Amino acid sequence: MERQKLVRRHLLTLEQILRDHSLWQGLPPDPAAFESTQPFCLDTLQPHEWLQWVLIPRMNALLDSQHPLPEAFAIAPYFEMALEPTHSVREPLLAVLLELDALFDVEQG
């Protein structure tokens, strides 16, 4: 399966996991939350909020417009640190994020 379809599938899976754990929000955060200069907006958004309001829409926008996808990135390490080991969403999210990261691993291509 081509990389773009795999990325889209992973984004949909992330959304479903957030919905299944009642973390998907109906209203966006205050616009000021997106003005953060910190990686992952860690000073203004919860990790699941960053997925919903930043990663998923931006990646979908790239896919929809057929723009090139990022060459390489790794977001799973942040979520390993940011989510408490006992948080119910941690393991399902990490599994999908690790797979998503692998799609952008330049060494695997």
Side-chain angles (χ1 to χ4, degrees):
M1 185 178 295
E2 70 180 69
R3 183 171 166 227
Q4 286 81 359
K5 288 182 181 178
L6 288 170
V7 170
R8 180 94 64 187
R9 180 179 287 173
H10 283 76
L11 296 175
L12 289 169
T13 302
L14 289 172
E15 177 179 339
Q16 190 59 54
I17 291 168
L18 293 175
R19 288 182 184 280
D20 290 348
H21 288 84
S22 301
L23 294 172
W24 193 260
Q25 301 171 341
L27 297 173
D30 185 275
F34 300 102
E35 296 173 11
S36 171
T37 59
Q38 298 293 312
F40 304 100
C41 299
L42 63 88
D43 59 338
T44 58
L45 296 176
Q46 293 296 313
H48 66 275
E49 292 175 316
W50 182 83
L51 286 173
Q52 179 181 352
W53 300 108
V54 179
L55 179 74
I56 293 171
R58 288 186 183 175
M59 292 297 289
N60 277 320
L62 289 174
L63 291 165
D64 291 345
S65 64
Q66 299 180 353
H67 278 78
L69 294 173
E71 295 270 329
F73 71 71
I75 57 177
Y78 166 67
F79 282 84
E80 287 176 321
M81 299 295 292
L83 295 174
E84 294 292 325
T86 57
H87 199 298
S88 63
V89 77
R90 187 176 195 271
E91 294 309 314
L93 268 185
L94 282 178
V96 176
L97 291 172
L98 286 166
E99 291 175 6
L100 184 63
D101 285 355
L103 295 173
F104 293 92
D105 185 345
V106 291
E107 291 180 14
Q108 289 185 5

